[in-house]
Amino acid sequence: MSLKVENLTLTRGGRTILSDVNFSAPAGACLILRGENGSGKTTLLKTLAGLLPVEAGTFHAPDEEIAYSGHLDAIKAQLTVRENLRFWAGIYDASNMDAVANTLSLSDLMDRVAGTLSAGQRRRLGLARLFLTGAKIWLMDEPTTSLDGHTTKLVAALIADHCAQGGSAILSTHVDLDIPKAQTLDLTEFAPTADQPSADPFLAGDYT
């Protein structure tokens, strides 16, 4: 299962963020997006997840094979950890809920209300949803935010294992993750040129 991006141009707020993006992520590949804040990493990931529109160009991948993990942990604060996991397992018809909970050290937190968890615990619970989807293509925006060093290494190992089993992952991170054979894509290569017009002519200039 692969994802292929061809001549993709993306805009936010009427401004071109990325222009003529081309890359592919075949089965087994891990692609790490690099670039300064505002370079378009989140915009690209959300677009590939179907959450933002495409200005121009195309990308090819079955929607049902894509799972996205963003800055927000997508948990129901008023539900327990167990109830959150059961909800996602039901949505994705997953039978590995207990195994995922154990892998992400959530087993001892199952009866805790999610709203009482620490930031790192909430992040682990949010990542659990990704692992329950069964999707082959993982899109991950800063997946190790709020995680300690041990759990960061664990998540890196889980991503590496996912790719070794024929999945693929595209992620943004400011942390050096030990993922064998991971490649990097510097999004500054696709920054619009200074003379490239804005998608909205009224925003082409600086009116601040």
Side-chain angles (χ1 to χ4, degrees):
M1 192 62 58
S2 64
L3 185 150
K4 187 174 183 179
V5 173
E6 298 179 302
N7 303 317
L8 203 64
T9 294
L10 306 177
T11 63
R12 290 292 298 272
R15 293 185 181 275
T16 300
I17 304 298
L18 295 169
S19 179
D20 293 326
V21 180
N22 288 275
F23 69 87
S24 61
C30 177
L31 186 64
I32 298 177
L33 306 179
R34 299 294 190 189
E36 298 179 354
N37 291 338
S39 62
K41 299 185 297 295
T42 295
T43 297
L44 176 59
L45 289 169
K46 284 187 173 181
T47 300
L48 297 178
L51 301 176
L52 292 176
V54 174
E55 181 69 22
T58 59
F59 64 92
H60 309 277
D63 292 342
E64 67 275 10
E65 292 295 349
I66 293 178
Y68 171 72
S69 173
H71 288 161
L72 299 179
D73 294 318
I75 64 176
K76 290 290 187 180
Q78 67 271 31
L79 301 181
T80 66
V81 170
R82 188 189 313 277
E83 288 168 335
N84 272 281
L85 292 174
R86 280 180 176 169
F87 173 77
W88 293 327
I91 291 292
Y92 301 115
D93 194 25
S95 59
N96 59 336
M97 187 187 89
D98 290 337
V100 169
N102 184 61
T103 298
L104 291 171
S105 301
L106 295 169
S107 298
D108 292 339
L109 302 172
M110 297 294 270
D111 295 320
R112 284 272 300 275
V113 174
T116 68
L117 300 177
S118 70
Q121 291 168 338
R122 290 197 301 272
R123 172 58 59 165
R124 298 202 317 262
L125 179 55
L127 288 172
R129 179 189 59 81
L130 189 74
F131 302 139
L132 288 171
T133 64
K136 292 293 186 181
I137 302 171
W138 289 357
L139 306 175
M140 312 175 78
D141 198 357
E142 297 289 349
T144 60
T145 297
S146 301
L147 297 182
D148 58 31
H150 171 75
T151 310
T152 294
K153 291 179 180 179
L154 171 63
V155 170
L158 291 171
I159 296 171
D161 184 63
H162 173 71
C163 294
Q165 294 185 38
S168 60
I170 303 173
L171 60 141
S172 69
T173 180
H174 293 288
V175 177
D176 290 329
L177 299 178
D178 184 15
I179 302 177
K181 299 182 180 179
Q183 297 184 336
T184 61
L185 181 68
D186 188 349
L187 294 188
T188 59
E189 298 177 15
F190 308 106
T193 58
D195 58 353
Q196 183 170 345
S198 168
D200 184 338
F202 290 101
L203 296 176
D206 183 0
Y207 297 100
T208 57

